[in-house]
Amino acid sequence: MTANASTERKIALVIGNGAYMHAAPLANPVNDAKAMTSKLQSLGFETYTGFDLDKIGMERLLRDFSRASRSSDVNIFFYAGHGMAVEGVNYLVPVDAAFADETSLDFEAVPVDFVTRQMSLSDAVNLVFLDACRDNPLSANLTRSLGSTRSAAVQNGLAEMKVHTGGKGMAIAFATSPGQVALDGEGVNSPFTSALLRHLDAENTDIAEVFTRVTGDVYNATEEQQRPWLNVSLTGPVMLNPVNRVQPIQNDVTASANATATAPVAGRMLEEQKMLFDLARDTGDAEDYRAYLESFPQGLYANNARRMIRKLEGSGNGGFEVAAARTQQPAVNSAQNSRSAAINEAGPLVLPISASLRSLPANQATEAQLDLDRTLRGNIQARLNATGNNVGGVDGKWGGKTRTGITNWQLSKGLTPTGYLNRPQYQLLVSETEGRYTPYVAPQATARKGTSRKSNNNNNGNLGAALLGVAIGTILAK
């Protein structure tokens, strides 16, 4: 699905609330909304925009947008301002909300689900961007009003929410992870909106890749305090700015071909640089910084890598304590199921994600080949939680939350979001999270006869895993 053809109609609702009457004003939401309106108009969107709206104003603008969106092909809703979650339901806060008593919530706030439900009534691609998790003093008012029985259910950050599946699907992007508070920012725009403005109009780029770039920018700009979060259920790729360029005729055909290939090659190299440097920063190991410099001695982060090596070696540990912690595995009961031992969890360090890895299918069949038992499933849940893709409790039992966590992790890596793993993806997740998660061991079943036979099978499995590991390393390195 492309979202820039002349025959398509694109509608956007943009709201920025900052001048709160019963709380300290927010500096950036109106700036964010104005900038986003300009950006979307440049992409061909008809915009319904409102600044500092009270409850009546928000409902009126939403009604106008809902009517127009019925006949559109792409709908976008962008909101900047206060938001909160109560008993798992997300609300946007108009500027006149006071929450003086327990009845106030229903009459003074706008449920996010109401907006997304209206959008899903059209046969369109629906995209929602919520920069609405800012630290909210009005939550304290509501907490006091609700009393002791319900006050614990009030939180500043927004909660995880389901995606409506009408039309061509929906994606909901939050400025930060569920239950966390986003920053308003010290500049003209918030960190989340600033990143959106940089990447939303990226040419010929799927929205999943756009959001991956936004996540990286926000995470770095906030010194790793804020990690945006995406919940997606789209039926196909979505590009907001597809561009078909006609190459000028040149006498030298070879030169033309080289020029055409330069941009994507440079983009892949920059992506690989960033992945290697992020890996080194996450592990804190001087050897990982050296690995970056070996690959990119004149790279964008070369000076930073050299400085970190000097710092680590100056401290006397060279990063070896961190590296040791990453590779040490806790003792596991010797009776652990042989399938758990068949996959080596002390995998290699995460490598750049190659085109070969991206092209490999990930589905029910490839995941079945992993032969995951409950222990391995529990460890995957714990690893997903460690990456910020929260799946809830770790119990080795997979449901909708775990599938959503896998999907969001795949999106964050630029992989096709299927919700199912293949073996190279599993190895990538393992190497990314070593030393960062608490291992899970499933309750042991009563021992059965045939132990010696299991032991032989396990030895064969270990040999097969070793050989397969070599093949996977070759695929990842391509």
Side-chain angles (χ1 to χ4, degrees):
M1 287 170 284
T2 59
N4 203 28
S6 58
T7 58
E8 290 184 326
R9 188 183 184 200
K10 297 172 291 185
I11 306 292
L13 172 62
V14 180
I15 296 176
N17 284 346
Y20 285 91
M21 302 175 187
H22 304 284
L26 293 172
N28 286 333
V30 171
N31 295 335
D32 294 342
K34 289 179 178 179
M36 187 58 61
T37 297
S38 297
K39 177 65 69 175
L40 292 173
Q41 288 175 345
S42 72
L43 291 171
F45 280 81
E46 302 174 37
T47 56
Y48 291 74
T49 303
F51 308 126
D52 294 329
L53 298 180
D54 58 16
K55 176 73 180 306
I56 294 176
M58 286 186 69
E59 290 178 339
R60 182 184 298 118
L61 190 62
L62 174 60
R63 182 166 55 248
D64 293 341
F65 166 74
S66 299
R67 289 170 177 167
S69 68
R70 296 291 188 274
S71 59
S72 68
D73 298 289
V74 183
N75 297 321
I76 284 182
F77 172 47
F78 172 87
Y79 174 83
H82 278 318
M84 64 174 67
V86 180
E87 296 180 336
V89 178
N90 292 322
Y91 294 89
L92 307 179
V93 183
V95 295
D96 60 341
F99 302 131
D101 57 58
E102 61 183 5
T103 68
S104 300
L105 182 65
D106 292 330
F107 294 99
E108 296 182 8
V110 176
V112 176
D113 189 64
F114 175 72
V115 182
T116 57
R117 187 168 63 250
Q118 293 296 315
M119 295 175 71
S120 68
L121 296 176
S122 68
D123 185 29
V125 174
N126 293 301
L127 306 176
V128 179
F129 301 102
L130 298 176
D131 199 352
C133 313
R134 293 163 164 92
D135 190 20
N136 185 3
L138 290 170
S139 330
N141 293 2
L142 184 60
T143 299
R144 288 190 295 269
S145 299
L146 292 177
S148 59
T149 58
R150 294 180 64 201
S151 61
V154 180
Q155 63 187 59
N156 278 334
L158 298 182
E160 183 176 351
M161 60 185 291
K162 76 171 187 176
V163 172
H164 291 282
T165 56
K168 295 182 176 64
M170 178 176 290
I172 304 177
F174 296 82
T176 191
S177 302
Q180 302 299 311
V181 174
L183 303 175
D184 193 40
E186 298 179 357
V188 176
N189 300 112
S190 74
F192 180 65
T193 298
S194 295
L196 274 177
L197 293 171
R198 275 193 299 275
H199 299 294
L200 200 59
D201 59 354
E203 295 180 356
N204 300 319
T205 305
D206 180 60
I207 193 66
E209 172 62 22
V210 168
F211 194 74
T212 298
R213 298 175 186 177
V214 169
T215 299
D217 281 8
V218 173
Y219 190 62
N220 292 330
T222 60
E223 298 181 348
E224 303 180 1
Q225 297 181 56
Q226 181 178 329
R227 185 194 295 269
W229 182 81
L230 179 69
N231 196 359
V232 61
S233 179
L234 294 170
T235 59
V238 176
M239 290 185 289
L240 294 179
N241 191 18
V243 176
N244 295 318
R245 285 196 172 88
V246 178
Q247 295 293 330
I249 298 175
Q250 296 184 14
N251 293 329
D252 190 343
V253 177
T254 302
S256 177
N258 290 340
T260 304
T262 299
V265 169
R268 287 195 299 272
M269 288 183 63
L270 182 59
E271 181 180 346
E272 291 178 1
Q273 284 195 54
K274 187 176 187 302
M275 286 181 180
L276 277 177
F277 186 78
D278 285 348
L279 167 66
R281 185 172 55 184
D282 289 343
T283 63
D285 192 335
E287 290 303 314
D288 292 337
Y289 285 107
R290 289 193 182 93
Y292 168 85
L293 289 173
E294 288 175 4
S295 299
F296 304 103
Q298 304 299 325
L300 185 62
Y301 308 104
N303 289 336
N304 289 339
R306 295 186 183 96
R307 184 171 63 253
M308 288 305 301
I309 291 172
R310 290 195 296 269
K311 180 178 179 181
L312 289 169
E313 293 181 340
S315 66
N317 62 27
F320 294 121
E321 293 178 7
V322 176
R326 187 178 65 251
T327 56
Q328 289 175 354
Q329 296 293 322
V332 179
N333 191 314
S334 60
Q336 182 173 329
N337 189 292
S338 63
R339 287 178 297 176
S340 299
I343 297 179
N344 177 20
E345 295 218 359
L349 292 178
V350 61
L351 297 173
I353 302 174
S354 65
S356 299
L357 176 58
R358 286 197 176 96
S359 67
L360 292 175
N363 49 42
Q364 287 180 297
T366 63
E367 190 171 277
Q369 292 171 5
L370 296 176
D371 201 20
L372 300 174
D373 63 2
R374 185 173 175 181
T375 292
L376 283 171
R377 288 177 180 270
N379 280 327
I380 289 173
Q381 289 175 321
R383 291 178 186 277
L384 289 168
N385 285 341
T387 66
N389 297 288
N390 185 28
V391 301
V394 174
D395 57 7
K397 299 177 181 179
W398 286 12
K401 284 190 174 181
T402 300
R403 292 298 175 194
T404 299
I406 293 173
T407 297
N408 290 335
W409 175 79
Q410 289 170 324
L411 285 168
S412 72
K413 299 300 172 186
L415 303 170
T416 302
T418 65
Y420 293 93
L421 296 170
N422 56 34
R423 191 173 293 273
Q425 288 184 12
Y426 171 78
Q427 294 286 1
L428 182 65
L429 177 63
V430 166
S431 60
E432 177 189 16
T433 53
E434 282 306 299
R436 296 172 52 198
Y437 80 109
T438 301
Y440 169 82
V441 178
Q444 297 297 315
T446 304
R448 298 179 180 179
K449 294 182 179 180
T451 303
S452 60
R453 185 176 179 182
K454 274 190 177 180
S455 177
N456 290 335
N457 288 340
N458 189 37
N459 290 336
N460 293 336
N462 285 335
L463 177 58
L467 294 174
L468 185 58
V470 174
I472 290 168
T474 302
I475 292 173
L476 289 172
K478 288 183 178 179

